[in-house]
Amino acid sequence: MSHLIVHGGTPLSGRITPSANKNAVLPILCATLLTKQPVRLRGVPEITDVKKIVEVFRKLGSQVELDFKTGILDVHHRDTHFDPATDRLPEEMRSSIMLVPGLMARFGAARIEDDVKGCTLGAREIDPHVEVFQRFGASVERHPDGLVVRVVHQADEEGHSGRLLANDHWTDYASVTTTENFVLCAALADGVSTLTNAASEPHVQEFCNFMSLLGARIEGHGTSKLKITGVQDLGGADYTFTEDFHEIVTFLALGAITGGNVQVKNGAPEMFPLLDRTFAKFGVQIVHEDGWSRCVTDGPLKVKEPFTRNILQKVEAAPWPYVPVDLLPIFVALGVKAEGSVLFWNKVYDGAMGWTSELAKFGGHAFLSDPHRMITFGGKPLSPAEVESPYIIRVAIALLMVAASIPGKSVIKNATPIRRAHPNFVEHIGELGARMEWVEGD
């Protein structure tokens, strides 16, 4: 386990360039399996899940060259092989389920664990993915040690694996990974596929842009309805990732909660109007100028009172274009610090709000109304503490934010999830004046 020592109380200031978005990098890496042409990716972050997918590629015989210092990854799946009887995908990484469409397209079959995991956010079933595979004409067989997914259509005269069949699908909810799996299946399927209630987060849009660069025919980028016309083959690409809007928000929030002045490189401010308004609920103004975003505060943080009397200020998080649920903990940290009360509502996950006891160790007042809703009573005196993070990336960062705003030494135990998503995160914060260091231990 990795613990984080935080010496708080220093206003953070300076300029910083975010890393690429993990939630764009991973599906794009998985998408490279769909082509036998070389692909170059620029700005690849040094995170755990990237290393795991690269290791899978190497075990399957793909050519991979990766230099984290330059962020350049070259991958060529020309000589890739896969045997569903022996080859496995990593169980501990939820994004491994997005390798299935590429394996089906190349080898007609894939094998996955039936309990692929990610952050401990509550129930995260794989049924929506199984349904997508089945709708494209694949069979899904349960075995004692996993699931085998097979293309049931006959191979063509040249011996290529049978193609998946296009279909129209309407998902139960706008799931990011399910949307990406649908696009991955549809790209080489036989016919025209449509997906209604598609996810449209910025990282989904970036993923669709990359697929189009490979030659996929996708209509409806950024909307809740996608139309994909299957093609025979996909080509290569040279692609540079954009900045992670999660990191942009996090660095801005770190500046705000510590009373500093942080400027963050941001090439897509058009994605930020709702996020800017959410910051404003805590007395923080976000200014976008010349490709950079910065936070502006006027004294201590204070919750903006709603115009309607007798209701709480609130932040509702749900699939895009709502406030992203992944960012809700960041705003919870602001809520603990800012004077006033705020209702936070996670409309997606049922196990992501149960960390109020850790906030209490700092002296923060937070009440868990139910598995989806939390109320913070901010502006109370806070003191350094030793807290323990659940395995949720931005909860660990939210606890770090609270600690950074309090003079003195705090400890964030089990802060490992930060490393999973954000390479050199602590080092980057150090460039802004933070005093933090990792400690390895049980």
Side-chain angles (χ1 to χ4, degrees):
M1 287 294 180
S2 296
H3 312 313
L4 193 58
I5 310 298
V6 180
H7 304 276
T10 302
L12 303 187
S13 299
R15 283 194 165 194
I16 194 164
T17 299
S19 305
N21 189 336
K22 172 183 81 77
N23 293 323
V25 172
L26 300 180
I28 286 174
L29 268 177
C30 294
T32 64
L33 264 178
L34 290 170
T35 177
K36 296 182 180 180
Q37 301 302 314
V39 174
R40 168 167 285 189
L41 302 176
R42 303 176 187 268
V44 177
E46 187 176 359
I47 58 177
T48 305
D49 286 2
V50 167
K51 295 177 181 178
K52 289 178 180 177
I53 290 181
V54 167
E55 183 61 26
V56 169
F57 288 166
R58 286 174 173 154
K59 287 182 178 179
L60 299 182
S62 300
Q63 297 179 8
V64 185
E65 295 182 10
L66 175 58
D67 185 347
F68 283 122
K69 291 182 179 179
T70 63
I72 296 178
L73 182 149
D74 289 300
V75 60
H76 197 176
H77 297 295
R78 178 182 53 196
D79 300 320
T80 307
H81 55 77
F82 181 80
D83 183 352
T86 57
D87 292 324
R88 296 287 190 274
L89 303 181
E91 177 183 2
E92 69 277 7
M93 184 178 64
R94 185 167 181 81
S95 56
S96 65
I97 202 166
M98 289 184 291
L99 292 168
V100 171
L103 294 174
M104 286 196 297
R106 295 288 297 275
F107 309 107
R111 187 185 190 92
I112 58 174
E113 308 300 328
D114 58 4
D115 189 26
V116 287
K117 299 179 180 71
C119 288
T120 53
L121 293 166
R124 304 181 76 182
E125 73 278 9
I126 65 170
D127 293 67
H129 305 284
V130 170
E131 184 177 14
V132 165
F133 302 147
Q134 290 173 333
R135 290 188 67 84
F136 277 98
S139 67
V140 181
E141 306 164 5
R142 185 182 297 277
H143 293 256
D145 56 349
L147 303 177
V148 174
V149 186
R150 296 185 185 277
V151 179
V152 297
H153 308 297
Q154 297 295 319
D156 60 24
E157 295 179 357
E158 298 179 0
H160 297 128
S161 298
R163 295 180 67 186
L164 296 175
L165 298 179
N167 70 97
D168 298 332
H169 188 37
W170 191 320
T171 59
D172 293 344
Y173 60 96
S175 162
V176 168
T177 312
T178 305
T179 297
E180 291 162 344
N181 255 341
F182 187 92
V183 173
L184 290 168
C185 289
L188 295 177
D190 187 11
V192 179
S193 301
T194 61
L195 179 64
T196 302
N197 202 17
S200 57
E201 276 76 359
H203 38 280
V204 177
Q205 297 180 45
E206 184 172 4
F207 162 76
C208 288
N209 289 336
F210 173 78
M211 291 293 294
S212 297
L213 189 62
L214 291 183
R217 297 175 59 187
I218 306 172
E219 302 174 43
H221 292 204
T223 75
S224 61
K225 188 166 186 175
L226 297 176
K227 178 181 177 182
I228 305 102
T229 303
V231 298
Q232 189 67 41
D233 296 293
L234 295 176
D238 188 325
Y239 182 77
T240 301
F241 290 103
T242 60
E243 299 92 4
D244 181 3
F245 75 100
H246 296 106
E247 277 201 11
I248 295 171
V249 170
T250 301
F251 289 133
L252 291 172
L254 273 163
I257 201 170
T258 61
N261 180 17
V262 174
Q263 300 180 59
V264 190
K265 187 177 181 183
N266 182 2
E270 67 275 7
M271 299 288 185
F272 275 72
L274 178 57
L275 293 169
D276 293 346
R277 288 174 51 216
T278 304
F279 270 109
K281 293 179 179 181
F282 303 91
V284 181
Q285 180 186 4
I286 303 299
V287 178
H288 305 284
E289 293 178 334
D290 302 323
W292 293 81
S293 301
R294 59 187 174 92
C295 61
V296 178
T297 58
D298 183 15
L301 301 182
K302 186 174 182 178
V303 175
K304 181 181 179 181
E305 292 292 330
F307 183 80
T308 304
R309 295 179 178 179
N310 302 320
I311 70 167
L312 291 174
Q313 183 63 270
K314 63 181 176 179
V315 177
E316 300 181 45
W320 191 270
Y322 273 78
V323 171
V325 292
D326 285 349
L327 287 176
L328 196 61
I330 304 304
F331 291 110
V332 169
L334 294 181
V336 168
K337 188 71 174 180
E339 179 184 345
S341 301
V342 182
L343 168 65
F344 296 90
W345 193 352
N346 185 327
K347 295 186 173 182
V348 177
Y349 299 126
D350 60 4
M353 305 287 277
W355 47 287
T356 53
S357 59
E358 302 307 312
L359 293 170
K361 294 175 183 177
F362 289 117
H365 288 207
F367 174 71
L368 187 64
S369 304
D370 56 46
H372 291 272
R373 292 180 294 177
M374 175 196 297
I375 299 174
T376 58
F377 305 91
K380 308 296 183 182
L382 303 176
S383 57
E386 180 176 300
V387 299
E388 185 166 356
S389 174
Y391 196 80
I392 304 175
I393 294 166
R394 263 158 287 275
V395 169
I397 294 176
L399 294 171
L400 177 158
M401 286 174 53
V402 176
S405 74
I406 305 170
K409 175 184 174 182
S410 295
V411 180
I412 315 296
K413 298 184 68 175
N414 302 329
T416 307
I418 297 175
R419 284 176 162 169
R420 178 169 165 246
H422 302 292
N424 304 316
F425 186 81
V426 171
E427 292 78 3
H428 286 166
I429 300 175
E431 298 171 8
L432 301 175
R435 294 174 56 214
M436 305 181 187
E437 65 264 5
W438 288 103
V439 176
E440 306 301 323
D442 295 331

